[in-house]
Amino acid sequence: MIRRYLGLIAAAVIVVLITSFRAVATLFTDVLWFREIGYLQAFWVPIASRAVLGVTVAAVFFAFSYANLRLAGRSLGRFSSLFQPLSIPVQLTERRARFVFLLVSAVLAVLAGLGSSSYWMVVQQFLHRASGGARDPLFGLNVGFYLFSLPFYRFAYSILMTLIVLTTVSVAAIYVLTRSLALRGTRVIGTSFAKHHVAGLIALGFLLKAWGYRLAALGLVYSPRGVVFGASYTDVHAQLPALRILSVIALVAGILVLADLFVRAEKLTLGAVGALIVGSFLLGTVYPAAVQKLSVEPNELSRERPYIKYNIEATREAFGLSGLEVRPFDVRNDLTFDRLMTAHQDTIDNIRLWDWRPLMQTYKQLQEIRVYYDFNDIDVDRYSAEGVTRQVALSARELSVAELPEQARTWVNQHLMYTHGYGLAMNDVSEVSAEGLPRFMIRDIPPRSDPGFEVVRPEVYYGERTDTYVVVDTSAREFDYPKGEANAYTHYEGRGGVSLSSFWRKAAFAARFGSLKFLMSTDMTRDSRVLYIRNVHDRVRTIAPFLLCDRDPYLVLADGRLFWMWDAYTVSSLYPFSQPIEEGINYIRNSVKVVVDAYNGDVTFYTPDPDEPILKSLSGVFPGMFTPLDEMPAALRAHVRYPEDLFTIQARVLSTYHMVDPDTFYNREDFWSFPVEIYGGERQNVQPYYVFMRTPGDEDAEYLLILPFTPSGKDNMIAWLAARNDFPRYGQLVLYTFPKDRLVYGPMQVESRIDQNPAISQALTLWSQRGSRVVRGNLLVIPVERSILYVEPLYLLAERSELPELKRVIAAFGNAVAMDTTLEGALAAAFGVAPEARQEAAAPDETVPAPSQAVPQEGPAATVRDLAGEALRAYEDASKRLREGDFAGFGESLAELGRLLRDLEERAK
């Protein structure tokens, strides 16, 4: 029996040791990782801050509660007989009571310390608070006060009030149980010490409550009571005076409680306490509700007008819209085709015909090369080579060890041999091959590139699919890329990874990753290094979890090397008067551009605006973490983009807050919404898209992120928003508004006109009947001078194929809609110009008789047979003309086919 117990104890000890060792090993390897990447402060600051704050709050809780319980516990010894009816031993002396008080105080302190430690960032940002520049219109306080100071004061108030209430209740209970205090009528009787003790605690609570009312008054800038977020008429003229009065009453009540110890003022004290209780209900609830119902609701606009204005101004400032430039866009559609092709050739050459969804399928089919490679997503950017700027799509060819054959998924293969992806694919977004496929500027393995796009370091050790750890610099051969019948191998030359230079390091990683291979493998040497937390998402968020990151990082090729660039935001929900959005935030800035080296794993946090208040505070919390954007290499700086997520949020806010007049805003006269388009046969909202174009009034083309707007519930276009991407005007927002006295087609109206075009709809129907699936791409709205162009690509996907082909381009201009095999041809047709190439393609094929030339033979049987032959020839002729882009001839052949089929139906009767 004893041996069995000893065995169980030994097993339990072993389990505890193993568990604790793994926890220690994880902590140790985390330290090594943060030190290797150069951000050790990002590891220690949160831990130290949590510890210091937790210990400080716990110490205050313990000292205050234990001291007061000890003072109250002096009365226990004299009244020990009281506990006999409760079956409590008489031996509960003051010494034993101290132990109970010590235990209770310690438990409360530990709970308070653990609960408060999660507020370490609130405290740190208070200690490193920064000015916010603007001031709120109600109290005239700097915005930085609301972002950093008010949250800390609220935290401190909740901690102190909890401490006072718990301590007061505990002390009063002790005195009541020991008959040191009692209530007779309106008088409190008992020992002088007990009355002084409890009165002091109650007075402290009232004084703290007075401060709480002051904080509640400051919090009115977040009131949701009115027609908009922020203080309303009722809040300012009823709630605010009520809180100020209640604060004075609480202060007076605290003073009277203390005064009652020296002079008989029980009635005054009880009156003040009663006034506070009744006043909280009448002044804090009933009176504001009455003002709202009787004074505000009958005159809501006149009462709320100034507060609506505060909300509009604060919201536009908080979401970066206060500097928005508004320009009228007088749509005339007077552009000529010659002017378009000469003055705006750079715009035409960069119209994106390849949408990322069909392009992703094409990349996977043509450029994955091997089953273990994968393209995670498609990114869009602009690149300059030989003096020409082109918009391109690109994606990294990452390694996916999960796609290896099952028998090849050994530990050596997954962690020592297959360590990295290789290269990228890149194509011009506007160029299409004769087969309807993209023209690749970077392709294949090893990379073959167009001039100016050379790749000198194609290995991808850090990416979006690198979710496993790998060990490099081992004696095992490291796979580089497939090479004919054999493979090419490499040796990692980067500086990433943590060295496995000792037995204890190997043991720590064995515990962290749950693999004894670190201790048993003969392939590892003292020079070996382990690369972990390689996923770009995890890597950045592990270092800076306090930043809100964009949905997706994008790939950048700079100086022949691969990098990941990721936009990160500083956000808050505490900007005064600013309207929160669905995500719960009411302030956002793109304060950080994160760059991750795909080979070395280096992470750099660049800051476009070091004076942004939240970033300035974070720079104080984490000194040395952020680098000014001016220090970013020029090759990377050329690929800084305005982030899509921020632009989408700003556009959502602007759809309401373009109305700066309070009366218009209140009446909801001019709400906007995102347009709707047809994609792949389904309706969806138009998403922001990048274009390289010349804005009206500017001489040079630039890279823009744009989005059109439509009136709420309508399909016509009312405005479009553009964000500049190129320095020195990076980040500037321009809103172009259309005249309200004329119709400007919106995307859905153009989609409807496409559906109603006989030649296009017949072509789509014919393709579908031939077993192909037609995928309609994004409809792009492209402003040029005083005109609007609309472009939509069409992709064909064979029934048994996963390879989309771009076969047609639809263009619309003014009232014309046209389709052609090329963008230029479609634009020419939309402008009423017939290029020679289209005219030649439209010429009839002499080898196939035209339907109108067929002569039926005599006799009923021969007539049916001949009609069937004519119908077949008409179908073949329609197909041929469709392939050649002769849509007029296609329509004629299709009409002839319909006539022949009707004749056949008549003959069959």
Side-chain angles (χ1 to χ4, degrees):
M1 182 65 69
I2 295 177
R3 290 182 178 178
R4 180 183 300 174
Y5 285 131
L6 290 176
L8 292 175
I9 293 173
V13 170
I14 292 173
V15 170
V16 171
L17 288 176
I18 292 175
T19 304
S20 60
F21 178 73
R22 185 163 190 175
V24 172
T26 300
L27 182 66
F28 174 62
T29 53
D30 280 343
V31 173
L32 294 177
W33 185 85
F34 276 97
R35 188 172 67 179
E36 175 261 327
I37 205 170
Y39 292 102
L40 197 56
Q41 73 272 37
F43 177 78
W44 288 117
V45 168
I47 293 178
S49 300
R50 288 175 184 271
V52 171
L53 178 59
V55 169
T56 300
V57 171
V60 171
F61 251 79
F62 178 80
F64 188 83
S65 59
Y66 183 64
N68 280 276
L69 291 175
R70 279 288 307 274
L71 289 174
R74 294 179 180 179
S75 61
L76 288 174
R78 293 175 296 160
F79 296 93
S80 57
S81 60
L82 293 173
F83 298 100
Q84 291 178 354
L86 302 175
S87 301
I88 299 177
V90 178
Q91 291 80 9
L92 184 59
T93 62
E94 186 177 341
R95 180 185 299 177
R96 297 194 175 183
R98 281 203 301 267
F99 174 76
V100 175
F101 298 153
L102 184 68
L103 182 62
V104 171
S105 300
V107 170
L108 290 176
V110 169
L111 293 177
L114 291 175
S116 61
S117 63
S118 61
Y119 290 87
W120 68 272
M121 183 59 85
V122 172
V123 177
Q124 280 282 16
Q125 289 194 298
F126 171 74
L127 296 175
H128 298 90
R129 55 193 178 275
S131 172
R135 293 182 176 274
D136 85 276
L138 184 58
F139 300 107
L141 296 173
N142 188 277
V143 168
F145 172 84
Y146 293 96
L147 297 178
F148 310 117
S149 299
L150 186 58
F152 174 77
Y153 295 148
R154 285 176 162 179
F155 164 72
Y157 173 77
S158 64
I159 290 293
L160 294 175
M161 184 57 78
T162 301
L163 176 60
I164 294 296
V165 170
L166 290 177
T167 303
T168 303
V169 171
S170 301
V171 168
I174 292 173
Y175 284 133
V176 170
L177 286 174
T178 59
R179 297 180 183 176
S180 297
L181 280 180
L183 184 63
R184 289 185 182 176
T186 59
R187 295 187 59 190
V188 177
I189 62 172
T191 65
S192 175
F193 181 82
K195 290 199 298 183
H196 280 76
H197 190 185
V198 174
L201 291 174
I202 293 175
L204 192 57
F206 278 127
L207 295 177
L208 194 60
K209 187 63 179 175
W211 185 42
Y213 284 126
R214 169 61 179 164
L215 296 179
L218 293 172
L220 290 177
V221 295
Y222 308 123
S223 172
R225 187 199 303 269
V227 294
V228 292
F229 188 80
S232 64
Y233 179 91
T234 300
D235 292 315
V236 174
H237 294 86
Q239 195 75 55
L240 181 58
L243 291 171
R244 287 172 173 169
I245 293 172
L246 290 172
S247 179
V248 173
I249 293 175
L251 185 63
V252 171
I255 295 173
L256 289 176
V257 168
L258 291 176
D260 189 46
L261 298 174
F262 306 100
V263 297
R264 290 191 173 272
E266 292 94 343
K267 292 183 178 180
L268 288 176
T269 303
L270 291 176
V273 174
L276 185 62
I277 297 173
V278 174
S280 297
F281 176 70
L282 294 179
L283 294 177
T285 304
V286 176
Y287 175 58
V291 171
Q292 180 71 23
K293 190 71 176 176
L294 301 177
S295 178
V296 175
E297 290 185 5
N299 312 282
E300 193 169 50
L301 177 57
S302 61
R303 293 281 191 258
E304 300 288 8
R305 184 178 287 113
Y307 309 104
I308 294 174
K309 186 173 185 244
Y310 295 160
N311 173 266
I312 293 173
E313 293 174 350
T315 302
R316 289 172 63 94
E317 175 65 32
F319 287 97
L321 298 173
S322 59
L324 175 72
E325 181 182 358
V326 181
R327 296 182 183 179
F329 191 97
D330 187 16
V331 179
R332 297 292 181 181
N333 283 333
D334 53 1
L335 184 68
T336 65
F337 182 72
D338 289 341
R339 170 95 179 145
L340 174 67
M341 301 307 294
T342 54
H344 299 279
Q345 187 64 52
D346 46 6
T347 298
I348 302 303
D349 289 342
N350 286 281
I351 291 178
R352 178 171 56 85
L353 300 180
W354 283 104
D355 179 69
W356 69 269
R357 281 155 288 202
L359 191 58
M360 172 62 77
Q361 293 177 270
T362 305
Y363 271 40
K364 287 180 176 292
Q365 291 292 315
L366 301 180
Q367 285 296 312
E368 281 187 352
I369 311 296
R370 292 291 188 272
V371 67
Y372 41 77
Y373 286 128
D374 187 28
F375 291 103
N376 186 64
D377 64 1
I378 301 291
D379 299 314
V380 177
D381 201 355
R382 77 288 199 193
Y383 283 77
S384 296
E386 300 179 346
V388 179
T389 300
R390 304 305 299 266
Q391 186 173 201
V392 304
L394 68 163
S395 183
R397 187 182 292 104
E398 298 197 53
L399 183 71
S400 178
V401 293
E403 300 301 327
L404 287 170
E406 187 173 354
Q407 63 273 18
R409 293 182 210 157
T410 63
W411 186 85
V412 171
N413 279 349
Q414 294 186 79
H415 300 290
L416 304 186
M417 184 174 176
Y418 290 94
T419 58
H420 60 276
Y422 198 85
L424 73 158
M426 178 189 289
N427 72 284
D428 191 307
V429 298
S430 62
E431 292 190 11
V432 186
S433 70
E435 298 79 17
L437 301 175
R439 189 191 74 79
F440 288 102
M441 305 160 72
I442 302 177
R443 59 208 174 274
D444 301 340
I445 299 176
R448 293 191 297 142
S449 309
D450 288 358
F453 295 91
E454 292 77 13
V455 184
V456 298
R457 181 56 78 184
E459 299 89 347
V460 181
Y461 283 87
Y462 300 86
E464 296 185 85
R465 298 294 302 273
T466 48
D467 297 319
T468 61
Y469 68 89
V470 296
V471 183
V472 297
D473 293 339
T474 66
S475 58
R477 293 196 302 174
E478 187 180 342
F479 172 77
D480 198 19
Y481 60 88
K483 187 178 181 181
E485 297 298 325
N487 291 325
Y489 295 90
T490 188
H491 180 79
Y492 182 64
E493 299 175 353
R495 54 180 175 268
V498 174
S499 173
L500 297 173
S501 57
S502 68
F503 169 81
W504 291 109
R505 288 195 174 196
K506 293 180 180 179
F509 282 107
R512 179 188 181 104
F513 297 119
S515 175
L516 293 176
K517 299 291 195 304
F518 280 90
L519 298 173
M520 301 174 63
S521 174
T522 58
D523 291 321
M524 296 187 192
T525 67
R526 293 181 61 85
D527 296 326
S528 298
R529 284 176 288 169
V530 56
L531 281 58
Y532 55 110
I533 313 182
R534 298 191 298 141
N535 187 292
V536 175
H537 299 255
D538 299 335
R539 199 168 183 82
V540 173
R541 286 173 174 146
T542 300
I543 300 170
F546 42 82
L547 295 176
L548 178 66
C549 292
D550 204 76
R551 286 174 299 173
D552 182 42
Y554 60 97
L555 185 68
V556 173
L557 173 65
D559 294 330
R561 300 175 61 92
L562 298 179
F563 299 87
W564 298 98
M565 194 171 288
W566 203 7
D567 290 286
Y569 311 105
T570 49
V571 299
S572 177
S573 59
L574 299 173
Y575 199 96
F577 283 96
S578 175
Q579 189 75 33
I581 58 176
E582 294 175 3
E583 292 79 359
I585 61 174
N586 69 352
Y587 172 88
I588 185 170
R589 289 290 186 274
N590 178 212
S591 299
V592 181
K593 304 283 187 180
V594 188
V595 175
V596 181
D597 190 314
Y599 189 71
N600 291 316
D602 297 334
V603 182
T604 309
F605 296 87
Y606 292 102
T607 57
D609 182 12
D611 293 327
E612 191 276 322
I614 296 180
L615 183 70
K616 200 169 183 179
S617 174
L618 291 173
S619 298
V621 178
F622 301 98
M625 174 175 283
F626 302 103
T627 303
L629 186 65
D630 293 340
E631 298 182 21
M632 178 183 285
L636 286 173
R637 189 180 171 91
H639 297 284
V640 169
R641 300 185 325 190
Y642 200 87
E644 288 185 68
D645 282 3
L646 174 61
F647 187 79
T648 302
I649 289 174
Q650 290 176 315
R652 281 165 45 195
V653 173
L654 189 64
S655 64
T656 301
Y657 283 86
H658 67 276
M659 297 179 286
V660 295
D661 177 65
D663 291 26
T664 304
F665 189 97
Y666 175 82
N667 292 319
R668 307 293 196 265
E669 295 177 6
D670 194 21
F671 274 172
W672 295 349
S673 61
F674 288 9
V676 177
E677 64 174 346
I678 300 294
Y679 180 84
E682 301 292 333
R683 293 169 64 99
Q684 67 173 26
N685 285 337
V686 173
Q687 299 299 315
Y689 50 93
Y690 292 97
V691 295
F692 187 77
M693 57 172 279
R694 184 184 310 162
T695 57
D698 291 331
E699 295 183 359
D700 298 322
E702 60 182 318
Y703 203 49
L704 302 171
L705 180 61
I706 70 173
L707 179 71
F709 289 102
T710 60
S712 182
K714 303 293 183 180
D715 288 330
N716 61 290
M717 207 155 48
I718 192 69
W720 62 283
L721 178 67
R724 303 186 189 276
N725 287 258
D726 298 333
F727 293 97
R729 298 194 293 180
Y730 171 83
Q732 293 181 8
L733 296 176
V734 183
L735 179 67
Y736 294 90
T737 57
F738 297 135
K740 295 185 179 181
D741 60 350
R742 71 192 71 155
L743 173 66
V744 179
Y745 289 121
M748 199 60 209
Q749 290 174 320
V750 175
E751 297 280 18
S752 298
R753 291 171 57 207
I754 291 173
D755 292 334
Q756 294 165 7
N757 184 282
I760 296 176
S761 61
Q762 289 171 357
L764 298 180
T765 302
L766 181 62
W767 278 322
S768 300
Q769 290 174 347
R770 294 173 59 187
S772 296
R773 184 163 65 91
V774 180
V775 178
R776 294 168 66 164
N778 290 127
L779 178 67
L780 302 182
V781 179
I782 304 166
V784 180
E785 294 186 0
R786 296 187 302 178
S787 303
I788 303 292
L789 304 180
Y790 306 85
V791 175
E792 180 175 277
L794 290 182
Y795 311 95
L796 286 187
L797 192 62
E799 189 173 354
R800 293 184 176 86
S801 172
E802 293 296 327
L803 186 61
E805 298 177 5
L806 199 161
K807 286 300 186 182
R808 296 291 183 272
V809 179
I810 299 174
F813 175 71
N815 294 316
V817 177
M819 182 169 70
D820 200 274
T821 55
T822 65
L823 173 61
E824 184 176 347
L827 289 172
F831 276 85
V833 177
E836 294 181 1
R838 289 187 73 249
Q839 293 175 351
E840 293 176 0
D845 191 339
E846 295 180 358
T847 61
V848 180
S852 58
Q853 296 173 334
V855 179
Q857 297 182 9
E858 298 295 331
T863 302
V864 172
R865 184 170 57 250
D866 291 340
L867 285 174
E870 289 181 52
L872 178 60
R873 284 191 295 272
Y875 170 78
E876 291 173 345
D877 185 65
S879 300
K880 179 177 181 297
R881 292 176 184 273
L882 180 61
R883 288 194 303 270
E884 294 171 346
D886 179 12
F887 298 107
F890 167 76
E892 294 173 359
S893 298
L894 198 64
E896 180 66 15
L897 176 60
R899 184 188 66 78
L900 292 169
L901 291 176
R902 285 191 296 272
D903 287 347
L904 280 171
E905 184 181 26
E906 289 294 328
R907 299 278 183 174
K909 290 182 179 179

